[in-house]
Amino acid sequence: MKTIDIKRDSSALVLLYPIANILFSTLTGAEHYSTFTIMYVFAILLTCIWRNHCRVDVNFIIIGSVFLITMSVAYNKSGSILLQFFSFLLLLDAYHYKDYEETFKKNILESDKLIFRGICFYLAVLFYTVVFKDGIQTGWGTVVLYGPYSLSHILAYELLAILCLALFVYKIKMETKWLVLGAVLEVLIVLTCVRSAILSSAFVLIWLLHSFNLKRKFEYILLGGIVLGILAYFRVFDQVITKSLYAMGNGSITNGREWIVNSVSMIYEESSVFEKVFGSGYENLLRGNYRYLGTAIQGHNDLLTILISFGIVGVGLYTEELIRFIKGKGGIGCFLMLAVLVYYNGLFLYTSMVIGLIVVRIFFRECGSTCLLYTSPSPRDTR
């Protein structure tokens, strides 16, 4: 009788997350998304520790917990933001270990048929929300694909992680169904009108193209040109163009990102030395932006949001974990993709993307190789 590899448990949780998230949000409503996602993150972490196939630094947990709890009491920070920031640091720390990544990659390739059916089911649920729910809503002067979520960004970043998964399997196994699935996912990302996700997905496609030889590059460029022509004919890009024109009409193609930078700079200048080092709280960021911009919004840039909320200490922790995560083979591509998200909208607040970061790194590390082959293990290897 075939036994279950206990190292599959946490990787299965990561791979199941998009399905679990879209089902939960469809059935219960978008307002419970944050609670569900944070609980899911800690389920992954507990499984990692329990199964002992990846390590999380206990000292890091203790010191980080004391710091975050102290700052929460001192500044009455939002518990959700604290947990999102802490879960981001812990997940990247857990994903950092090579043994975990190798096991994760192996499980993906051995379960590719099941994963393909799972993604198709995910897309079926998304289609259901479009037809029977409010999966398409009006925003930025156009219609936007939201799915069951309160922000189209949540759906866009979730689709982006799934795109990396689909194209990774395609690069290894070269099965046309995965390429078609990748094309469908890319179109859906475009329909969310989240320009940071669209730009990041462009880096994903360029990285995949870069991994092939010259002949295949030419074939894919020709095929891509034909697909783009068909999509343009059916006006798939109209929503993104309309959103950009709408933003320009309001005085900023970036939807006011430069104004937010100025606002955060003024908030930081007003802070005390202690607050500059340890932060003055997420609520202070919202209040400051409301005072200077007329709307209580986050920094739309991880470094700005963390600088005000958690100070230089928080920025240091964030930067260290992110650098450790992306360095190594494929690090340039991974950096370019994540830099777009970090700089133009923020990453750690979108936990659905954070959970999928392990898949993103696997894609950039493995799909940069032109000689990567996968062979199923022999019966002797599985005994």
Side-chain angles (χ1 to χ4, degrees), residues 243-259:
K243 176 184 176 180
S244 299
L245 293 174
Y246 180 81
M248 290 177 64
N250 288 329
S252 172
I253 185 65
T254 64
N255 280 330
R257 296 298 193 275
E258 62 274 23
W259 303 334

Side-chain angles (χ1 to χ4, degrees), residues 104-120:
F104 197 99
K105 181 175 64 177
K106 178 175 177 287
N107 291 339
I108 290 175
L109 296 173
E110 290 180 351
S111 308
D112 62 298
K113 292 182 176 60
L114 181 61
I115 292 172
F116 184 86
R117 290 194 290 268
I119 296 174
C120 290

Side-chain angles (χ1 to χ4, degrees), residues 114-160:
L114 181 61
I115 292 172
F116 184 86
R117 290 194 290 268
I119 296 174
C120 290
F121 178 76
Y122 173 93
L123 296 177
V125 176
L126 178 59
F127 180 75
Y128 170 84
T129 66
V130 170
V131 176
F132 299 103
K133 300 280 187 177
D134 296 323
I136 293 181
Q137 300 181 31
T138 302
W140 302 298
T142 185
V143 290
V144 179
L145 180 64
Y146 272 70
Y149 307 120
S150 58
L151 290 172
S152 61
H153 297 71
I154 298 173
L155 176 62
Y157 292 170
E158 203 165 76
L159 290 169
L160 186 57

Side-chain angles (χ1 to χ4, degrees), residues 309-321:
S309 301
F310 307 107
I312 296 174
V313 173
V315 172
L317 288 171
Y318 176 91
T319 305
E320 180 192 11
E321 284 297 336

